[in-house]
Every structure is written in structure tokens, then in C-alpha cells.
């Protein structure tokens, strides 16, 4: 593939000639993935590479990491549901409708008459850093209570997915912990993407302690290189020994490290490796990690033993990398979540390049 730019040079990941057959998994809905946490409207500058203060116009786009994953799974043909709280306002009801339009079960949503729906302004500056400005003091998602939980919906899940933002404040923290317990006792796989947003935490220590407080309960964890550096207090995020010794725990089935355009690394009890990324023209990186998570959980939902077979896992992670890549080609998170057809098209192109 000397003239192909689908993979960076030096890739050691080799696709099988029958790789596309693996993606027949995507035609099966499998178990339901229930996602819990925040949902909001993101406001993204219409001009790339500017700070929030420099932006003159914004695109309003539905977002919130757990909601992004729920929509991403549904767009890929999977079965998903969302649990969370929004304001009993126009934004909140609009978000509920967006989930419904995308075939996400929104019966677990609650509407708070006394708090507003969260808003976030987000941009990618010229130096490549993301800049956030949140309006949630408190927002409705922070006020989700244990009594608000749709217990039956959680018990029906095969995979229960969540982040760390709902751990920051009470009463949402207690609701989060209760939901995890219900899911675990019901036999669900627990999927955790910390999705670090440091400005929302009182301090770096509280963020590190809060994120790690539920670490050992997860079956699947997705983390970024930046989050590895943060959680290990400065250790090399590319050192496999650091990852295994500091972050891999005995009950973990799969640990994934997202590396943006470089793809991802994977770790199980028995093996680890890397799957390189898919190159696209990036417009907005908001939601890229959530697109990746949606891609892998959608396949996991119909193949719960995926982590036991390295070749099948590699093929699935290529699919997930393509999901993440396509998400950055449009502004906003939920509007950019790709369809199964779009992902398979780019995977087919990569497969063709690799076998040239």
C-alpha cells in the first residue's frame, strides 16, 4: 500500500481478506446498551481554529458524552437507551425529541421544572487544544436522584455505559452509584469512559479520586492518552507497563486507549496491541471519542465474547476507529454520528488499500 494514505506508514496491523465479513455483526441489534449521564446542547463556532471569544457565530448541536454514545449506537443499527435529566424547558424537550428521532429509547429521561438544561460552548483552537465553557450551576443533569432512575430499563440492559461527570456533585453521584449497582446485579457489562472535563471538578485531586473511585467495577474502559497522564500523575501514557500496572485491574475484560488520528491501543488479560486510525479531513473533533465508543459497543452488544478473540477484536476496532474518524468531519457531536453504511464504506476503502 505504498501510495495509500488510509494508514500511517509503519503499521503492523494487517487486515484479513475476509475482514468485511466480520461487520455482519453490525446487522444484529444484540443486547440493549443503556447510557446514563449528561445531555446538553453544545455551541460550536462556525469558523475553525478560533477561540470562543473570537467566534462570531455558533452551530447549536445536541451533545453530552453518554447521549452521544446512545445516538451513535442507534445510528449504527443497534439498540440503545438514555437515562438522564434535563430541564423542563424548550432545550430539554428538544433533546428528548432528538433522541426519539434517532430511535434511542428516551423513557429514562426526566424533566426538572426548577433547573435549566445544561449548555456548553466548545472550540478547537489553532494549537489543537479544546476549549470549553459550561453553563450548569446547577443544571438539571446534576440533580438526577436515585428515585428518578428507571430501574426496569437498567435491568433490561446488556451493557450499561457511563462517564465520570455525574460523579462530581450530589445527588447525581448517588444516583450514578445506585444505577451501577442495579446494572451489575442484573448481569450487565459495565462500560466506563471517564471523559475528563477538569474545569467541572473542584480540583485536580478530586477529579483523579472521583474517576478512580469506580474504576475497579468496570468491565470495559475507554481512556485517552491525556487521561492516562493525568490519572498516573505524569507517567508515560505510551508505556504498556504503565497502563497494565496502574490502570488494568483483575476484573477488567478490555481496556482501550484512544489516540485520535493514530487509532487506538487495546489491552486484555491475554494480549495487547494497536490498530491504526483512518485519515479524514477534520472539521470539529467534538464527539470523536464517543463515536469510537459507540462503534465498539455496538459490535460488543452482539458479540459479548469479542475481547477473547484478538483478530475479531482488531477488525471491530478498525470499525470503531472509522466511526470516530467520520464524527470529526462535521460540526457538533450528535449531528456527526455516522450511519453503519457510511462506516462500512470507509472500512471497505481501507481494506482495499491494505490488500493492494
Amino acid at each position: 500500500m505504498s501510495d495509500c494514505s488510509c494508514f500511517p506508514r509503519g503499521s503492523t496491523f494487517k487486515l484479513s481478506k475476509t475482514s468485511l465479513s466480520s461487520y455482519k455483526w453490525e446487522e444484529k441489534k444484540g443486547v440493549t446498551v443503556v447510557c446514563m449521564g449528561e445531555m446538553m446542547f453544545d455551541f460550536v463556532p462556525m469558523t475553525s481554529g478560533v477561540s470562543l471569544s473570537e467566534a462570531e457565530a455558533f452551530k447549536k448541536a445536541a451533545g453530552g458524552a453518554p447521549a452521544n454514545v446512545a445516538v451513535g449506537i442507534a445510528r449504527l443499527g443497534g439498540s440503545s437507551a438514555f437515562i438522564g435529566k434535563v430541564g423542563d424547558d424548550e432545550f430539554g424537550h428538544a433533546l428528548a425529541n432528538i433522541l426519539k428521532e434517532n430511535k434511542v429509547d428516551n423513557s429514562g429521561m426526566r424533566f426538572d421544572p426548577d433547573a435549566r438544561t445544561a449548555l456548553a460552548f466548545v472550540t478547537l483552537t489553532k494549537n489543537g487544544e479544546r476549549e470549553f465553557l459550561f453553563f450548569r450551576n446547577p443544571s438539571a443533569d446534576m440533580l438526577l436522584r436515585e428515585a428518578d432512575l428507571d430501574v426496569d430499563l437498567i435491568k433490561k440492559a446488556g451493557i450499561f455505559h457511563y462517564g465520570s461527570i455525574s460523579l462530581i456533585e450530589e445527588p447525581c453521584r448517588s444516583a450514578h452509584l445506585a444505577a451501577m449497582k442495579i446494572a451489575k446485579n442484573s448481569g450487565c457489562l459495565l462500560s466506563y469512559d471517564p471523559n475528563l472535563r477538569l474545569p467541572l471538578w473542584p480540583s485536580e485531586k478530586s477529579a483523579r479520586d472521583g474517576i478512580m473511585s469506580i474504576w475497579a467495577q468496570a468491565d470495559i474502559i475507554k481512556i485517552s492518552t491525556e487521561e492516562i497522564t493525568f490519572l498516573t500523575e505524569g507517567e508515560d501514557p505510551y508505556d504498556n507497563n504503565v497502563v497494565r500496572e496502574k490502570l488494568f485491574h483483575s476484573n477488567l475484560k478490555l481496556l482501550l486507549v484512544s489516540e485520535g488520528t493514530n487509532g487506538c491501543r487495546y489491552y486484555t488479560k491475554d494480549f495487547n496491541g494497536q490498530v491504526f486510525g483512518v485519515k479524514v479531513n477534520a472539521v470539529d473533533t467534538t464527539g470523536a471519542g464517543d463515536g469510537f465508543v459507540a462503534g465498539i459497543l455496538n459490535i460488543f452488544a452482539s458479540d459479548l465474547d469479542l475481547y477473547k478473540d484478538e483478530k475479531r477484536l482488531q477488525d471491530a476496532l478498525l470499525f470503531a476507529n472509522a466511526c470516530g474518524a467520520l464524527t470529526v468531519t462535521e460540526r457538533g457531536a450528535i449531528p456527526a454520528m455516522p450511519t453503519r453504511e457510511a462506516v462500512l464504506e470507509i472500512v471497505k476503502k481501507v481494506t482495499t488499500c491494505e490488500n493492494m
Side-chain angles (χ1 to χ4, degrees):
M1 45 180 275
S2 58
D3 296 322
C4 178
S5 62
C6 295
F7 284 108
R9 291 185 182 278
S11 169
T12 58
F13 170 53
K14 201 73 175 172
L15 287 165
S16 67
K17 292 182 180 180
T18 58
S19 285
L20 284 180
S21 65
S22 300
Y23 298 101
K24 290 181 180 178
W25 297 334
E26 301 306 299
E27 297 171 0
K28 300 183 292 184
K29 285 196 173 184
V31 300
T32 296
V33 181
V34 174
C35 304
M36 177 176 163
E38 69 280 1
M39 188 175 191
M40 64 190 71
F41 271 112
D42 293 329
F43 288 81
V44 183
M46 294 300 293
T47 303
S48 300
V50 300
S51 67
L52 292 177
S53 62
E54 294 171 330
E56 296 183 355
F58 295 84
K59 176 182 178 178
K60 176 171 67 70
N68 296 342
V69 173
V71 171
I73 289 168
R75 289 258 180 94
L76 294 170
S79 174
S80 65
F82 176 76
I83 291 176
K85 182 176 275 191
V86 292
D88 190 9
D89 51 35
E90 289 193 15
F91 280 157
H93 288 283
L95 290 172
N97 288 334
I98 287 170
L99 290 179
K100 184 177 180 180
E101 290 167 0
N102 281 282
K103 300 181 180 179
V104 176
D105 182 346
N106 66 2
S107 61
M109 289 189 77
R110 301 294 180 259
F111 300 88
D112 195 314
D114 300 316
R116 299 294 179 91
T117 300
L119 304 177
F121 289 78
V122 56
T123 189
L124 188 69
T125 58
K126 291 178 181 178
N127 62 6
E129 296 296 322
R130 280 198 291 177
E131 181 179 319
F132 293 92
L133 182 60
F134 295 96
F135 288 82
R136 54 194 308 266
N137 292 306
S139 53
D141 61 288
M142 300 165 67
L143 303 177
L144 183 74
R145 299 179 182 277
E146 186 174 347
D148 294 324
L149 296 176
D150 188 330
V151 174
D152 289 338
L153 183 59
I154 297 172
K155 288 181 176 180
K156 291 177 184 176
I159 299 174
F160 185 67
H161 177 73
Y162 48 86
S164 69
I165 290 176
S166 53
L167 297 172
I168 299 173
E169 299 277 358
E170 291 289 359
C172 192
R173 175 178 169 79
S174 292
H176 182 124
L177 297 177
M180 285 179 59
K181 184 175 181 180
I182 294 167
K184 196 71 171 180
N185 289 342
S186 300
C188 297
L189 290 178
L190 300 189
S191 168
Y192 184 24
D193 178 359
N195 197 37
L196 175 66
R197 295 291 179 264
L198 199 53
L200 297 178
W201 292 85
S203 66
E204 289 193 6
K205 184 180 185 304
S206 65
R208 193 175 291 110
D209 291 346
I211 288 171
M212 296 305 296
S213 68
I214 61 171
W215 195 265
Q217 298 179 54
D219 298 292
I220 305 165
I221 296 175
K222 196 284 287 185
I223 192 170
S224 69
T225 52
E226 294 80 8
E227 287 164 345
I228 293 175
T229 300
F230 176 76
L231 293 175
T232 61
E233 298 187 71
E235 297 203 39
D236 183 358
Y238 300 100
D239 186 330
N240 288 335
N241 291 326
V242 169
V243 175
R244 284 208 174 271
E245 292 173 11
K246 297 295 182 70
L247 299 174
F248 199 93
H249 62 77
S250 59
N251 295 320
L252 194 57
K253 292 178 171 58
L254 179 63
L255 175 64
L256 299 171
V257 180
S258 58
E259 298 185 346
T261 56
N262 291 325
C264 67
R265 280 175 282 151
Y266 57 88
Y267 300 82
T268 72
K269 291 179 182 178
D270 300 318
F271 50 77
N272 59 269
Q274 182 172 8
V275 178
F276 285 93
V278 178
K279 291 186 177 181
V280 294
N281 293 319
V283 174
D284 172 30
T285 60
T286 306
D290 303 325
F292 170 82
V293 171
I296 192 63
L297 290 187
N298 186 50
I299 295 178
F300 231 107
S302 56
D303 186 6
L304 295 177
D305 289 329
L306 178 67
Y307 66 97
K308 297 179 180 179
D309 185 316
E310 188 169 15
K311 185 64 189 73
R312 295 206 329 264
L313 178 61
Q314 288 177 335
D315 288 347
L317 288 172
L318 172 61
F319 182 91
N321 284 344
C323 290
L326 287 174
T327 303
V328 309
T329 60
E330 183 178 339
R331 287 184 172 84
I334 285 179
M337 290 293 149
T339 63
R340 174 178 174 272
E341 292 72 23
V343 178
L344 288 178
E345 183 177 345
I346 196 170
V347 167
K348 184 176 181 180
K349 178 181 177 182
V350 171
T351 307
T352 301
C353 289
E354 179 66 20
N355 289 316
M356 285 175 62

